[in-house]
mmCIF file of all heavy atoms in Angstrom:
data_model
loop_
_atom_site.group_PDB
_atom_site.id
_atom_site.type_symbol
_atom_site.label_atom_id
_atom_site.label_comp_id
_atom_site.label_asym_id
_atom_site.label_seq_id
_atom_site.Cartn_x
_atom_site.Cartn_y
_atom_site.Cartn_z
ATOM 1 N N MET C 19 2.937 14.169 19.513
ATOM 2 C CA MET C 19 3.792 13.782 20.612
ATOM 3 C C MET C 19 4.256 15.009 21.434
ATOM 4 O O MET C 19 4.288 15.044 22.599
ATOM 5 C CB MET C 19 5.020 13.011 20.132
ATOM 6 C CG MET C 19 4.667 11.598 19.688
ATOM 7 S SD MET C 19 6.120 10.592 19.449
ATOM 8 C CE MET C 19 6.983 11.433 18.171
ATOM 9 N N PRO C 33 -7.478 38.796 36.818
ATOM 10 C CA PRO C 33 -7.746 39.563 38.025
ATOM 11 C C PRO C 33 -8.798 40.685 37.878
ATOM 12 O O PRO C 33 -9.073 41.094 36.779
ATOM 13 C CB PRO C 33 -6.356 40.246 38.299
ATOM 14 C CG PRO C 33 -5.699 40.278 36.928
ATOM 15 C CD PRO C 33 -6.266 39.196 36.125
ATOM 16 N N GLY C 74 -10.362 43.291 46.227
ATOM 17 C CA GLY C 74 -9.536 44.441 45.928
ATOM 18 C C GLY C 74 -8.069 44.105 45.781
ATOM 19 O O GLY C 74 -7.238 45.035 45.641
ATOM 20 N N GLY C 137 2.096 20.535 51.319
ATOM 21 C CA GLY C 137 2.081 19.133 51.482
ATOM 22 C C GLY C 137 3.525 18.759 51.849
ATOM 23 O O GLY C 137 4.116 19.340 52.714
ATOM 24 N N SER C 140 7.202 15.113 54.543
ATOM 25 C CA SER C 140 8.429 14.564 55.115
ATOM 26 C C SER C 140 9.151 15.541 55.937
ATOM 27 O O SER C 140 9.458 16.662 55.488
ATOM 28 C CB SER C 140 9.322 14.092 54.020
ATOM 29 O OG SER C 140 8.740 13.050 53.305
ATOM 30 N N ARG C 141 9.501 15.227 57.189
ATOM 31 C CA ARG C 141 10.047 16.221 58.095
ATOM 32 C C ARG C 141 11.431 16.765 57.609
ATOM 33 O O ARG C 141 11.609 17.942 57.794
ATOM 34 C CB ARG C 141 10.228 15.656 59.525
ATOM 35 C CG ARG C 141 10.997 14.380 59.518
ATOM 36 C CD ARG C 141 11.096 13.855 60.971
ATOM 37 N NE ARG C 141 12.017 12.777 61.086
ATOM 38 C CZ ARG C 141 13.328 12.910 61.057
ATOM 39 N NH1 ARG C 141 13.849 14.126 61.077
ATOM 40 N NH2 ARG C 141 14.135 11.865 61.060
ATOM 41 N N LEU C 170 -0.812 4.458 70.043
ATOM 42 C CA LEU C 170 -0.478 3.021 70.042
ATOM 43 C C LEU C 170 0.157 2.620 71.359
ATOM 44 O O LEU C 170 -0.071 1.460 71.832
ATOM 45 C CB LEU C 170 0.553 2.736 68.964
ATOM 46 C CG LEU C 170 0.028 2.692 67.516
ATOM 47 C CD1 LEU C 170 1.213 2.650 66.498
ATOM 48 C CD2 LEU C 170 -0.880 1.524 67.357
ATOM 49 N N LYS C 172 -0.715 3.367 74.224
ATOM 50 C CA LYS C 172 -1.798 3.085 75.219
ATOM 51 C C LYS C 172 -2.310 1.644 75.082
ATOM 52 O O LYS C 172 -2.962 1.125 75.955
ATOM 53 C CB LYS C 172 -2.970 4.046 75.041
ATOM 54 C CG LYS C 172 -2.659 5.512 75.283
ATOM 55 C CD LYS C 172 -3.867 6.329 74.989
ATOM 56 C CE LYS C 172 -3.545 7.787 74.890
ATOM 57 N NZ LYS C 172 -4.579 8.632 74.248
ATOM 58 N N CYS C 212 10.494 -8.674 59.654
ATOM 59 C CA CYS C 212 9.103 -8.230 59.325
ATOM 60 C C CYS C 212 9.051 -6.735 59.045
ATOM 61 O O CYS C 212 8.128 -6.110 59.345
ATOM 62 C CB CYS C 212 8.175 -8.628 60.491
ATOM 63 S SG CYS C 212 6.530 -9.081 59.800
ATOM 64 N N VAL C 216 9.052 -2.036 49.879
ATOM 65 C CA VAL C 216 8.590 -2.422 48.585
ATOM 66 C C VAL C 216 8.990 -1.344 47.537
ATOM 67 O O VAL C 216 8.975 -0.189 47.899
ATOM 68 C CB VAL C 216 7.027 -2.554 48.576
ATOM 69 C CG1 VAL C 216 6.529 -3.053 47.229
ATOM 70 C CG2 VAL C 216 6.609 -3.527 49.658
ATOM 71 N N GLY C 232 2.721 -15.061 58.068
ATOM 72 C CA GLY C 232 3.514 -16.144 58.608
ATOM 73 C C GLY C 232 4.128 -15.735 59.928
ATOM 74 O O GLY C 232 4.391 -16.630 60.781
ATOM 75 N N PHE C 240 1.461 0.270 58.253
ATOM 76 C CA PHE C 240 1.790 0.445 56.824
ATOM 77 C C PHE C 240 1.686 1.952 56.387
ATOM 78 O O PHE C 240 1.242 2.226 55.229
ATOM 79 C CB PHE C 240 0.937 -0.474 55.903
ATOM 80 C CG PHE C 240 -0.546 -0.398 56.212
ATOM 81 C CD1 PHE C 240 -1.419 0.316 55.385
ATOM 82 C CD2 PHE C 240 -1.103 -1.090 57.275
ATOM 83 C CE1 PHE C 240 -2.784 0.327 55.585
ATOM 84 C CE2 PHE C 240 -2.434 -1.042 57.563
ATOM 85 C CZ PHE C 240 -3.321 -0.318 56.680
ATOM 86 N N LEU C 260 -5.979 -10.695 56.538
ATOM 87 C CA LEU C 260 -4.913 -10.266 57.486
ATOM 88 C C LEU C 260 -5.422 -9.423 58.620
ATOM 89 O O LEU C 260 -4.979 -9.576 59.744
ATOM 90 C CB LEU C 260 -3.893 -9.421 56.688
ATOM 91 C CG LEU C 260 -2.789 -8.715 57.406
ATOM 92 C CD1 LEU C 260 -1.935 -9.724 58.173
ATOM 93 C CD2 LEU C 260 -1.898 -7.914 56.467
ATOM 94 N N SER C 270 -1.911 8.358 58.138
ATOM 95 C CA SER C 270 -2.501 9.359 57.294
ATOM 96 C C SER C 270 -3.519 8.710 56.380
ATOM 97 O O SER C 270 -3.827 9.251 55.303
ATOM 98 C CB SER C 270 -1.474 10.078 56.500
ATOM 99 O OG SER C 270 -0.751 9.230 55.627
ATOM 100 N N ASN C 277 -7.378 7.442 50.817
ATOM 101 C CA ASN C 277 -8.505 6.509 50.863
ATOM 102 C C ASN C 277 -9.562 6.616 49.850
ATOM 103 O O ASN C 277 -10.379 5.740 49.765
ATOM 104 C CB ASN C 277 -9.077 6.608 52.348
ATOM 105 C CG ASN C 277 -9.829 7.934 52.630
ATOM 106 O OD1 ASN C 277 -10.462 8.505 51.771
ATOM 107 N ND2 ASN C 277 -9.717 8.343 53.887
ATOM 108 N N PHE C 312 -16.003 25.723 47.250
ATOM 109 C CA PHE C 312 -15.110 24.871 46.410
ATOM 110 C C PHE C 312 -16.050 23.966 45.670
ATOM 111 O O PHE C 312 -15.846 23.701 44.413
ATOM 112 C CB PHE C 312 -14.238 24.030 47.322
ATOM 113 C CG PHE C 312 -13.117 23.320 46.640
ATOM 114 C CD1 PHE C 312 -11.844 23.898 46.565
ATOM 115 C CD2 PHE C 312 -13.353 22.115 46.051
ATOM 116 C CE1 PHE C 312 -10.789 23.253 45.909
ATOM 117 C CE2 PHE C 312 -12.304 21.457 45.375
ATOM 118 C CZ PHE C 312 -11.031 22.036 45.320
ATOM 119 N N ASN C 317 -17.193 21.937 41.191
ATOM 120 C CA ASN C 317 -18.020 20.705 41.140
ATOM 121 C C ASN C 317 -17.113 19.539 41.568
ATOM 122 O O ASN C 317 -17.106 18.495 40.940
ATOM 123 C CB ASN C 317 -18.563 20.454 39.752
ATOM 124 C CG ASN C 317 -19.612 19.406 39.741
ATOM 125 O OD1 ASN C 317 -20.212 19.069 40.778
ATOM 126 N ND2 ASN C 317 -19.857 18.765 38.603
ATOM 127 N N ALA C 330 -2.023 28.862 51.948
ATOM 128 C CA ALA C 330 -0.701 29.453 51.644
ATOM 129 C C ALA C 330 -0.836 30.733 50.863
ATOM 130 O O ALA C 330 -0.221 31.754 51.179
ATOM 131 C CB ALA C 330 0.120 28.432 50.827
ATOM 132 N N ALA C 337 0.941 38.564 54.350
ATOM 133 C CA ALA C 337 2.359 38.984 54.585
ATOM 134 C C ALA C 337 2.681 40.135 53.721
ATOM 135 O O ALA C 337 3.370 41.028 54.136
ATOM 136 C CB ALA C 337 3.270 37.836 54.409
ATOM 137 N N GLU C 339 0.660 42.377 52.487
ATOM 138 C CA GLU C 339 0.014 43.571 53.031
ATOM 139 C C GLU C 339 0.741 44.027 54.251
ATOM 140 O O GLU C 339 0.970 45.289 54.424
ATOM 141 C CB GLU C 339 -1.403 43.210 53.478
ATOM 142 C CG GLU C 339 -2.367 42.962 52.337
ATOM 143 C CD GLU C 339 -2.927 44.237 51.697
ATOM 144 O OE1 GLU C 339 -2.583 45.300 52.164
ATOM 145 O OE2 GLU C 339 -3.696 44.081 50.729
ATOM 146 N N ALA C 341 3.923 43.638 55.049
ATOM 147 C CA ALA C 341 5.238 44.220 54.689
ATOM 148 C C ALA C 341 5.030 45.506 53.937
ATOM 149 O O ALA C 341 5.948 46.326 53.955
ATOM 150 C CB ALA C 341 5.989 43.205 53.861
ATOM 151 N N VAL C 401 -5.034 17.210 67.413
ATOM 152 C CA VAL C 401 -3.885 17.166 68.242
ATOM 153 C C VAL C 401 -2.945 18.226 67.828
ATOM 154 O O VAL C 401 -2.525 18.313 66.679
ATOM 155 C CB VAL C 401 -3.200 15.763 68.088
ATOM 156 C CG1 VAL C 401 -1.926 15.697 68.913
ATOM 157 C CG2 VAL C 401 -4.166 14.665 68.487
ATOM 158 N N GLN C 410 14.427 24.854 68.456
ATOM 159 C CA GLN C 410 15.302 25.652 67.667
ATOM 160 C C GLN C 410 16.734 25.028 67.693
ATOM 161 O O GLN C 410 17.365 25.007 66.588
ATOM 162 C CB GLN C 410 15.342 27.103 68.157
ATOM 163 C CG GLN C 410 16.173 28.007 67.298
ATOM 164 C CD GLN C 410 15.903 29.507 67.537
ATOM 165 O OE1 GLN C 410 15.125 29.824 68.461
ATOM 166 N NE2 GLN C 410 16.498 30.368 66.750
#
Side-chain angles (χ1 to χ4, degrees):
Chain C
M19 287 193 298
S140 297
R141 56 180 187 78
L170 285 171
K172 296 178 194 162
C212 217
V216 183
F240 50 103
L260 172 60
S270 63
N277 67 37
F312 193 97
N317 192 22
E339 290 280 359
V401 175
Q410 184 165 3

